[in-house]
Amino acid sequence: MSRTLSDDHSSWFTPDELTSLRHRLPFLYVDIVPVRVDGDGVITRIATLLRTPREGPIQRALVSGRVMYHERLRDAIARHIDKDLGPMALPRLPASIVPFTVAEYFPTPGITPYHDPRQHAVSLAYIVPVDGDCQPSQDALDIAWYTPEEIIDPAVISEVVDGHGALIRTALATTGRLI
Amino acid sequence: MSRTLSDDHSSWFTPDELTSLRHRLPFLYVDIVPVRVDGDGVITRIATLLRTPREGPIQRALVSGRVMYHERLRDAIARHIDKDLGPMALPRLPASIVPFTVAEYFPTPGITPYHDPRQHAVSLAYIVPVDGDCQPSQDALDIAWYTPEEIIDPAVISEVVDGHGALIRTALATTGRLI
Amino acid sequence: MSRTLSDDHSSWFTPDELTSLRHRLPFLYVDIVPVRVDGDGVITRIATLLRTPREGPIQRALVSGRVMYHERLRDAIARHIDKDLGPMALPRLPASIVPFTVAEYFPTPGITPYHDPRQHAVSLAYIVPVDGDCQPSQDALDIAWYTPEEIIDPAVISEVVDGHGALIRTALATTGRLI
Amino acid sequence: MSRTLSDDHSSWFTPDELTSLRHRLPFLYVDIVPVRVDGDGVITRIATLLRTPREGPIQRALVSGRVMYHERLRDAIARHIDKDLGPMALPRLPASIVPFTVAEYFPTPGITPYHDPRQHAVSLAYIVPVDGDCQPSQDALDIAWYTPEEIIDPAVISEVVDGHGALIRTALATTGRLI
């Protein structure tokens, strides 16, 4: 039901309106660390989305996106996983919507470990185990899975976009992996 | 520095703009449960702000308010405490900005325990011990302090505005009081 | 591997030894709130184990038990779920072992909401979704599933053993249900 | 009252009894990361206790110790801070006793990031701001305060005893510092 309402076009913005608003109020996001877990619940793999920007080297990113008007956080999490990992990912959404961390992205660098030149965004971050088959969609080239040991390797983590490396390290620390 | 930027008038909205935006994207809020704690850290009192609306009976509310453009969550928490409890409240801001709960206020009742007819707001909720002298300011008549036992009395909790009663009960449950 | 070590008989105690130790140091427990969740991760049902004590009325309890020597918390959680809900319960163990609450059971009533006349026990409490078929084993008569609304009904919650009612209410509050 | 009971000698153990028990059941500990925070609640300094063992190089450690029979976690935290930082430390005990992480120390290395050759210990870890004057007592030579940047310097963190380095990094990650 809430999805129907969030599809109501009156809540949509033109690109110009969005650009203007991004410098006038904080935007609400969800960031998702998609993981595989073993039978004991221990994280064994982390997924990153591989992208080839028009210029510059390849980039890796987590699942991430805006919360829409009249959309529950749970619905935003499910929608962005569906968009980025495909409809067969079978995510296990958390029983509690308290995030494991809150990432404050500022257009000014250095205020927090998170930086976004386009906007001020506040993102609630969740670790979401996915059990199903993940397929890249939209603008991702591929989905790459790394063990916790592999993903913090400088060669890998340096390809991760601004802030998402900090989210990965925080997710691993809060779950007792690689501390 | 971030406060200076959030005072930049270009990020302000006219009342009409705000009213329109409240139905087009979720607004980010902080809700604060101001408490007194004893030497062991145990909550002994909870503060509510007493208000007399133009119509209807008196209302009690927590400290609450919007996060502004380019404002850190910590600065928003401090600003709203300062606004509602006065400059001598001496709040102890949390070392972690992970909230104890996330309240999703929808204009449509029944989606979550939180309802706000004006808007879709997502509020990060914090328990903040205050050590100093609290004085009502702005639109509050008085600040009333209750023990956990007193505040959940039906005669008191029924005067608390929509959603804030749920926040108080959740705050007491997550700290092991009155469960 | 850790399970093998915890089965090493040198770490076992005679009943007399255990009774004596229970009054000399705190025992470490895990308490588990077994739940069914829907596709959005929202809790829809909570399981209680039905018991008929030798004297007195029937009792309802959560999954609960001691952590053994050289046993990981994850292994203790899995072992007690296996013991109380059977081997087909298919629990989803949490990615993080930070508990949603810590229950301190004292032999003296009134120090905390948790009381255990036999011992001082400190229990780490977890919400664990179970997807599979649950069968009572050992000393339980039956497993009864309740909606959040049903389980806090005074007629039901009054049958729940000391402390487990408080755990159920805390679990519902921390997940945003029935607050 | 609980402190009086925990001083009851019947709950004390001889050194031989303790050594034997440490290999038969998990011992419950609290680990405390003592910090200075600024007016915004942000961690500015972390305290470590400096020790000179009979053999080997100097070691740095956090505040840490066992939970006694009939002792509340809050009382154990306060007692160990008092013992290690002196009676003027003025700690701000947390409103919630949910730890920021749980450290499982095993006598066998490699099961978790925490290792204790003497015993199986499960430790609930807390970040505790201290506002007062800290004085080394008992077996500590000195108390050294480090900024988050300084403490994770390899030259410093390598002097920190087993497991406490992992706790410091986890504490910094969960509070959004140095990730």
Side-chain angles (χ1 to χ4, degrees):
Chain A
M1 185 185 65
S2 58
R3 291 190 189 184
T4 312
L5 267 164
S6 74
D7 288 345
D8 175 355
H9 289 214
S10 71
S11 66
W12 285 12
F13 295 100
T14 67
D16 278 358
E17 279 182 309
L18 265 186
T19 302
S20 162
L21 282 173
R22 285 182 200 282
H23 291 278
R24 297 180 73 190
L25 82 178
F27 272 44
L28 183 66
Y29 273 67
V30 287
D31 281 337
I32 295 120
V33 184
V35 298
R36 299 283 194 204
V37 297
D38 67 16
D40 289 338
V42 175
I43 293 175
T44 56
R45 290 282 189 293
I46 297 126
T48 61
L49 310 174
L50 201 65
R51 290 172 181 161
T52 317
R54 266 163 299 182
E55 35 190 279
I58 62 161
Q59 286 182 336
R60 300 171 191 284
L62 297 172
V63 173
S64 180
R66 198 152 68 84
V67 181
M68 305 295 280
Y69 177 70
H70 214 285
E71 185 180 43
R72 291 187 310 164
L73 289 167
R74 292 183 183 287
D75 291 321
I77 295 168
R79 178 171 60 83
H80 289 293
I81 290 175
D82 190 77
K83 163 178 68 65
D84 284 340
L85 303 181
M88 306 301 288
L90 302 181
R92 301 181 193 174
L93 267 61
S96 164
I97 55 159
V98 174
F100 76 90
T101 200
V102 179
E104 301 183 78
Y105 295 85
F106 285 99
T108 313
I111 297 177
T112 69
Y114 303 94
H115 173 229
D116 186 340
R118 293 175 307 155
Q119 64 184 341
H120 174 201
V122 174
S123 185
L124 308 186
Y126 301 92
I127 297 165
V128 179
V130 290
D131 291 337
D133 185 36
C134 296
Q135 294 296 337
S137 42
Q138 295 213 349
D139 51 356
L141 266 188
D142 196 10
I143 297 167
W145 294 90
Y146 294 99
T147 66
E149 289 78 11
E150 289 165 356
I151 206 165
I152 61 161
D153 185 278
V156 176
I157 204 92
S158 66
E159 293 174 354
V160 174
V161 298
D162 256 0
H164 290 190
L167 284 177
I168 290 167
R169 278 190 293 264
T170 305
L172 291 173
T174 58
T175 55
R177 301 284 276 127
L178 288 193
I179 45 180
Chain B
M1 186 185 65
S2 58
R3 289 190 191 185
T4 312
L5 267 165
S6 74
D7 288 344
D8 175 352
H9 289 213
S10 70
S11 66
W12 285 11
F13 294 100
T14 66
D16 278 359
E17 278 181 310
L18 265 186
T19 303
S20 161
L21 282 172
R22 286 182 200 281
H23 292 278
R24 297 180 73 190
L25 82 177
F27 272 43
L28 183 66
Y29 273 66
V30 287
D31 281 337
I32 295 119
V33 184
V35 299
R36 300 282 195 206
V37 296
D38 67 16
D40 289 337
V42 175
I43 294 175
T44 57
R45 290 282 189 292
I46 297 126
T48 61
L49 311 173
L50 201 64
R51 289 170 182 163
T52 318
R54 267 163 299 182
E55 36 189 279
I58 63 163
Q59 287 183 336
R60 299 171 192 284
L62 297 171
V63 173
S64 180
R66 198 151 70 83
V67 180
M68 305 295 281
Y69 176 70
H70 216 285
E71 185 180 43
R72 289 188 312 163
L73 289 167
R74 292 182 182 286
D75 292 321
I77 296 169
R79 178 171 58 84
H80 288 293
I81 290 176
D82 190 78
K83 163 178 68 67
D84 284 340
L85 303 181
M88 306 301 288
L90 303 181
R92 300 182 193 172
L93 266 62
S96 163
I97 56 158
V98 173
F100 76 90
T101 200
V102 179
E104 302 183 77
Y105 295 84
F106 285 99
T108 314
I111 296 177
T112 69
Y114 303 95
H115 173 229
D116 186 339
R118 293 175 307 154
Q119 64 184 340
H120 174 201
V122 174
S123 186
L124 308 187
Y126 301 92
I127 297 165
V128 179
V130 291
D131 290 338
D133 185 36
C134 296
Q135 295 297 337
S137 43
Q138 294 215 348
D139 52 356
L141 265 187
D142 195 11
I143 297 167
W145 294 89
Y146 294 99
T147 66
E149 289 77 11
E150 289 165 356
I151 206 165
I152 59 160
D153 185 278
V156 176
I157 204 95
S158 67
E159 292 174 354
V160 174
V161 297
D162 256 1
H164 289 190
L167 284 177
I168 290 167
R169 278 190 293 262
T170 306
L172 291 173
T174 58
T175 55
R177 301 283 278 125
L178 290 193
I179 47 181
Chain C
M1 184 183 68
S2 59
R3 291 192 188 182
T4 313
L5 268 163
S6 74
D7 288 345
D8 176 354
H9 289 215
S10 71
S11 66
W12 285 12
F13 295 100
T14 66
D16 278 0
E17 278 181 310
L18 265 186
T19 302
S20 162
L21 282 172
R22 284 183 200 280
H23 292 278
R24 297 181 74 190
L25 83 177
F27 272 44
L28 183 66
Y29 273 67
V30 286
D31 281 337
I32 294 120
V33 184
V35 298
R36 300 283 195 205
V37 296
D38 66 17
D40 289 338
V42 174
I43 294 176
T44 56
R45 290 281 190 293
I46 298 127
T48 62
L49 311 173
L50 201 65
R51 289 171 182 160
T52 317
R54 265 164 299 182
E55 35 189 280
I58 63 161
Q59 287 183 335
R60 299 171 192 284
L62 297 172
V63 173
S64 180
R66 197 151 69 84
V67 180
M68 305 296 281
Y69 176 69
H70 215 285
E71 186 181 42
R72 291 187 311 162
L73 288 167
R74 291 183 183 287
D75 292 321
I77 295 168
R79 177 171 60 83
H80 287 293
I81 290 175
D82 190 77
K83 160 178 70 67
D84 283 341
L85 302 181
M88 306 301 288
L90 301 181
R92 300 182 194 173
L93 266 62
S96 162
I97 56 160
V98 173
F100 74 91
T101 200
V102 179
E104 301 183 79
Y105 294 85
F106 285 99
T108 314
I111 297 176
T112 69
Y114 303 94
H115 173 229
D116 186 339
R118 292 175 307 157
Q119 64 184 340
H120 174 201
V122 174
S123 185
L124 308 186
Y126 301 92
I127 297 166
V128 179
V130 291
D131 290 337
D133 185 36
C134 296
Q135 294 297 338
S137 42
Q138 293 214 351
D139 51 355
L141 265 187
D142 197 8
I143 296 167
W145 294 89
Y146 294 98
T147 66
E149 290 77 12
E150 289 165 356
I151 206 165
I152 60 160
D153 185 278
V156 176
I157 204 94
S158 67
E159 292 174 354
V160 173
V161 297
D162 258 359
H164 289 191
L167 284 177
I168 290 167
R169 277 190 294 263
T170 305
L172 291 173
T174 58
T175 55
R177 301 284 276 128
L178 289 193
I179 46 181
Chain D
M1 185 185 65
S2 57
R3 291 189 189 185
T4 313
L5 267 164
S6 74
D7 288 344
D8 176 353
H9 288 213
S10 70
S11 66
W12 285 12
F13 294 100
T14 66
D16 278 359
E17 278 181 312
L18 265 186
T19 302
S20 161
L21 282 172
R22 285 182 200 281
H23 291 278
R24 297 180 73 191
L25 83 177
F27 272 44
L28 184 65
Y29 272 66
V30 286
D31 280 337
I32 294 120
V33 184
V35 298
R36 299 282 195 206
V37 297
D38 67 16
D40 289 337
V42 175
I43 294 175
T44 56
R45 289 282 190 293
I46 297 126
T48 61
L49 310 173
L50 202 64
R51 288 170 182 162
T52 318
R54 265 162 300 182
E55 37 189 277
I58 63 161
Q59 287 183 336
R60 299 171 193 284
L62 297 171
V63 173
S64 180
R66 198 152 67 84
V67 180
M68 305 295 281
Y69 177 69
H70 216 283
E71 185 181 41
R72 289 187 312 163
L73 289 167
R74 292 183 182 286
D75 292 321
I77 295 169
R79 177 170 59 84
H80 288 292
I81 290 175
D82 189 79
K83 161 178 69 67
D84 284 340
L85 302 181
M88 307 301 287
L90 302 181
R92 301 181 192 173
L93 266 60
S96 162
I97 54 159
V98 174
F100 76 89
T101 199
V102 180
E104 302 183 76
Y105 295 84
F106 285 99
T108 313
I111 297 177
T112 69
Y114 303 94
H115 173 228
D116 187 339
R118 292 175 308 155
Q119 64 185 340
H120 173 201
V122 174
S123 186
L124 308 186
Y126 300 92
I127 297 165
V128 179
V130 290
D131 290 338
D133 184 36
C134 296
Q135 294 296 337
S137 42
Q138 295 215 348
D139 52 354
L141 266 188
D142 196 10
I143 297 167
W145 293 89
Y146 294 99
T147 66
E149 289 77 11
E150 290 166 355
I151 205 163
I152 60 160
D153 185 279
V156 176
I157 203 94
S158 67
E159 292 175 355
V160 173
V161 298
D162 256 359
H164 289 191
L167 284 177
I168 290 167
R169 279 191 292 264
T170 306
L172 291 173
T174 59
T175 55
R177 302 283 277 126
L178 289 193
I179 46 181

